[in-house]
Amino acid sequence: MTSLLRPDAAPPTAPARPHSVTVHGRTVVDPYAWLKAENWREVLKDPAALPADIRTYLEAENAYAAAALDGTAALRKALVAEMRGRIREDDGGVPDVDGPFAYYTRHREGGQHPLVCRRSSAGIADLPVDRLGGPGEEILIDGDREGEGLPFFDLADAAHSDDHALMAWSADTKGSELYTIRVRDLATGVDREESIIATTGDAVWSADGQGFWYVAVDENHRPAKVMLHRLGTPQTDDETVYEERDSGFFVGIDQTQSGAFLTITANDHETSEVHLIDRARPGIAFRTVEPRTANLIYSVEHRGDELFLLTNADGAEDFKLMVAPLAEPGRAQWRDLVPHRPGVMIRFQHVLARHLVRLELENARPRLIVRDALSGAEHAVAFAEEAYSLGLMPGHAFDTDEIRFVYSSMTTPAETYDYDVTTRARRLRKRQDVPSGHDPAAYVTRRLFATAPDGESVPISLLHRRDTPLDGSAPLLLYGYGSYGTLMSASFRTNPLSLVDRGFVYAIAHIRGGTEKGWRWYMDGKREKKPNTFTDFVACARALIEARYTGAGRIVAHGGSAGGMLMGAVANLAPDLFAGIVADVPFVDVLNTMLDGDLPLTPPEWPEWGNPGADPAAFDTILSYSPYDNVRAARYPAILALGGLTDPRVTYWEPAKWVARLRATMTGGGPVLLRINMEAGHGGAAGRFDRLEEVALIYAFALAAVGLAPAA
């Protein structure tokens, strides 16, 4: 282990204050429960409310981590410069046309936050993206100006009214994901007096532009109510349109691509329910498409007198498309449009006036399928690379023959295309610019497969320089997530090039718990089958060693949030495989969190992990892998744990408790470092360049862990 990760000072020691809980006749002792502030709800809203003893401890941990990484200061500075050099600082998105205007976001050179802009839609298709900031542009929301002087600022939604006169925009200034919505007069650039606090940040306008719907967050930080705000009235007068009584269900809003309806979706991880409100009639009550039924998932789009449903009904594990009459949308009226095909997962549907587009995934490779509404004829949009990413970008238009998609691979920068679904002509609108230069031919991307202990074949996407020796000597960063059905795409990322150019192999383990191989892949990595996620990751590490991409003790594992739980689990399972582990906002105190129904996300998470308070089997399963509860007397690799003080998703005390227990229990190895961002939440720093500082810290740690960091 390099001395760069060996500070002279001793690490902080958290006093053990044992707290025990007995459930189902089983007693579990938690020695560091005191690190969870009793006033945690208040801390989410105001970090200054953190009790003094906890603040003192966290600040000591930050100081220790800073000392441990002090020798990498020059390296981190170089990494930030490299990564920033790959970003076009005045980059902008491809404009999205909505009637007389084209809306887009861009950044100014040196700016941390986005600018929300518009200009006339006339001739917009012929205007290069790099000239968007010229004459004729209106800057509607200036993120840099709004965030000036604030330690944290996250610009969320920016939704314009149908008449283009007003914009509802939202921002979080604490990192706690409590967003305030304001309304801007686009003619004057001045915000109206009203501001709507404690929301999820999303807003959907009524068709007449006299009000908008939003989702209010309750005292436990859960999205619980859909409210209708009418312009010129106080928030206290807002009408409750929908209230979710089940604390295990999330609530969200959107509007159909047709623009006709507001959709209210209530769902957990395996059941959903959709309600519709006519945007032209905001005062009417919602209409339910189909009442919730356990394990029935569906989402809704609209065209004419029909609804289009993406659903797992009738045992369609990988989903199918169905249609129903708008007048009678209940389950009895649903009929197949695109039948279920096992192994071909339909991830998304995009309904236009004359076409239906779906995004499919088969054996971890995506494709777009375009279907003509009248004839039913279909054709595919796909690419030939071994591993790539393909995403559909829905815009404002409904009556159009054009769609927009983004293609990239681990070697190919993102390319944004407008595609005419009738002529099948592609028009490149933007190619991701890497100002410091990028030669795809200098890199190799591959798709490998590891064999899990139960025989499953686990995909791995990897990237390395063409001249990297593949003799087992190369260090390797292995990234994983594996929860909630989240797909880890093999897309182009500029930041990892700073590792790859220093000799690293960069790999993504597409482990169970995601949907890279369909919905079954997700189901095989949740609840009682959650351990598959961890053994899949270890199998990927061993397969990469066997294939000579790296060697044992040369791997740095990286994961965040639920992927941070993965990091904690594999650290306990196979510490000898890893030189270092980076656990970013790690969900490591799984048992205690799932036993606490008052925490913001606990009830909605029970379908994912199990409810240990109600189910003895779930208690035993979670206890068997919960990283915090399974720390053992063993030699651990160097570990860097990162958290955010105002994080409502993975609370700060999870990594803090984990680190304290590791230090008290492990027999060697390390060091174990904890860094808590005292001014941010789950996503870390919000500014795009501030975020690079955090990435540089992670990469410097990884380089030091394998002995590649230069001496100070």
Side-chain angles (χ1 to χ4, degrees), residues 257 299 301 310 321 345-351 356-360 368 392-394:
Q257 187 67 30
S299 60
E301 276 295 343
L310 174 59
L321 294 180
M345 184 175 176
I346 303 177
R347 295 188 58 84
F348 183 72
Q349 65 165 335
H350 182 49
V351 178
L356 185 149
V357 184
R358 65 184 187 269
L359 177 62
E360 294 183 346
L368 292 171
L392 186 64
M393 297 180 66

Side-chain angles (χ1 to χ4, degrees), residues 102-356:
Y103 291 83
Y104 55 94
T105 60
R106 67 174 183 87
H107 286 84
R108 62 167 56 90
E109 190 165 348
Q112 290 270 18
H113 304 289
L115 313 177
V116 180
C117 310
R118 75 178 178 189
R119 58 191 307 130
S120 170
S121 59
I124 195 68
D126 298 318
L127 184 67
V129 173
D130 60 4
R131 289 174 52 195
L132 289 173
E137 178 184 76
E138 295 178 74
I139 297 178
L140 307 177
I141 307 291
D142 186 332
D144 290 322
R145 186 182 68 186
E146 300 297 340
E148 187 174 1
L150 298 173
F152 182 91
F153 178 79
D154 179 29
L155 179 63
D157 200 14
H160 61 270
S161 57
D162 289 17
D163 62 4
H164 306 278
L166 300 169
M167 177 166 279
W169 67 280
S170 57
D172 170 19
T173 59
K174 301 290 186 182
S176 56
E177 300 179 37
L178 292 170
Y179 292 88
T180 296
I181 301 174
R182 296 176 174 83
V183 179
R184 180 154 298 181
D185 184 320
L186 298 184
T188 65
V190 176
D191 287 338
R192 296 168 58 97
E193 289 186 4
E194 57 232 88
S195 62
I196 312 300
I197 64 171
T199 82
T200 63
D202 300 315
V204 176
W205 285 95
S206 59
D208 61 8
Q210 295 303 302
F212 56 85
W213 292 274
Y214 65 93
V215 179
V217 175
D218 68 13
E219 65 278 3
N220 283 334
H221 212 292
R222 297 178 186 132
K225 293 181 181 180
V226 177
M227 311 294 294
L228 175 61
H229 174 73
R230 300 182 188 276
L231 297 183
T233 64
Q235 184 176 3
T236 52
D237 289 349
D238 290 353
E239 175 188 345
T240 300
V241 172
Y242 174 86
E243 182 172 4
E244 178 54 55
R245 303 291 185 180
D246 188 333
S247 62
F249 273 62
F250 300 94
V251 177
I253 58 173
D254 204 345
Q255 69 180 55
T256 57
Q257 187 67 30
S258 67
F261 295 101
L262 167 80
T263 60
I264 301 172
T265 301
N267 67 280
D268 62 14
H269 293 296
E270 53 193 24
T271 300
S272 62
E273 178 180 74
V274 180
H275 314 281
L276 301 176
I277 294 180
D278 188 336
R279 290 182 59 240
R281 303 169 63 197
I284 66 169
F286 65 80
R287 180 165 48 133
T288 303
V289 175
E290 171 66 15
R292 66 189 66 172
T293 300
N295 301 311
L296 175 65
I297 300 172
Y298 70 95
S299 60
V300 171
E301 276 295 343
H302 161 256
R303 179 172 62 211
D305 58 2
E306 290 184 313
L307 293 179
F308 293 76
L309 304 109
L310 174 59
T311 179
N312 68 345
D314 309 315
E317 182 179 64
D318 286 317
F319 292 79
K320 62 180 176 177
L321 294 180
M322 305 184 78
V323 293
L326 177 61
E328 297 181 73
R331 177 71 185 87
Q333 306 300 321
W334 297 5
R335 66 183 190 277
D336 282 4
L337 180 65
V338 178
H340 176 240
R341 293 160 295 160
V344 180
M345 184 175 176
I346 303 177
R347 295 188 58 84
F348 183 72
Q349 65 165 335
H350 182 49
V351 178
L352 299 172
R354 292 172 294 280
H355 306 278
L356 185 149

Side-chain angles (χ1 to χ4, degrees), residues 12-73:
T13 300
R17 302 172 187 170
H19 171 79
S20 63
V21 60
T22 301
V23 183
H24 311 303
R26 302 282 301 276
T27 298
V28 178
V29 178
D30 181 356
Y32 303 105
W34 66 272
L35 285 168
K36 173 188 173 183
E38 292 184 4
N39 65 334
W40 60 265
R41 293 179 182 85
E42 187 180 353
V43 173
L44 285 178
K45 298 176 182 178
D46 180 11
L50 185 69
D53 59 337
I54 299 175
R55 179 176 295 278
T56 298
Y57 175 71
L58 295 181
E59 289 175 345
E61 286 285 4
N62 283 348
Y64 176 71
L69 290 163
D70 183 63
T72 67

Side-chain angles (χ1 to χ4, degrees), residues 345 347 361 484-487 511 513-519 521-522:
M345 184 175 176
R347 295 188 58 84
L361 187 71
Y484 306 116
T486 299
L487 182 149
I511 51 185
T515 50
E516 286 87 342
K517 295 181 69 173
W519 197 254
W521 202 242
Y522 167 45

Side-chain angles (χ1 to χ4, degrees), residues 19 123 199 279 292 398 417 480 510 515 538 619 642 649 667:
H19 171 79
T199 82
R279 290 182 59 240
R292 66 189 66 172
F398 175 67
Y417 290 91
H510 302 288
T515 50
V538 172
F619 182 95
L642 304 169
R649 297 173 183 263
T667 58

Side-chain angles (χ1 to χ4, degrees), residues 78-89 91 407-415 430-440 443 463-465 477 489-502 504 506 508 688-689 691-692 695-696 699:
L79 288 167
V80 169
E82 285 177 16
M83 292 186 288
R84 187 163 178 167
R86 298 189 193 104
I87 298 172
R88 177 163 183 163
E89 295 203 7
D91 198 17
Y407 163 80
S408 75
S409 74
M410 294 180 79
T411 59
T412 307
E415 297 172 343
K430 179 185 176 183
R431 179 175 284 114
Q432 181 180 354
D433 185 17
V434 183
S436 60
H438 175 69
D439 178 11
Y443 302 89
L463 172 73
H464 62 82
R465 283 194 64 90
L477 188 139
S489 65
S491 58
F492 184 71
R493 299 166 173 86
T494 59
N495 289 341
L497 295 176
S498 285
L499 291 179
V500 172
D501 287 346
R502 287 174 169 80
F504 264 76
Y506 179 80
I508 301 171
R688 57 176 178 157
F689 300 132
R691 177 58 183 158
L692 293 183
V695 177
Y699 286 1

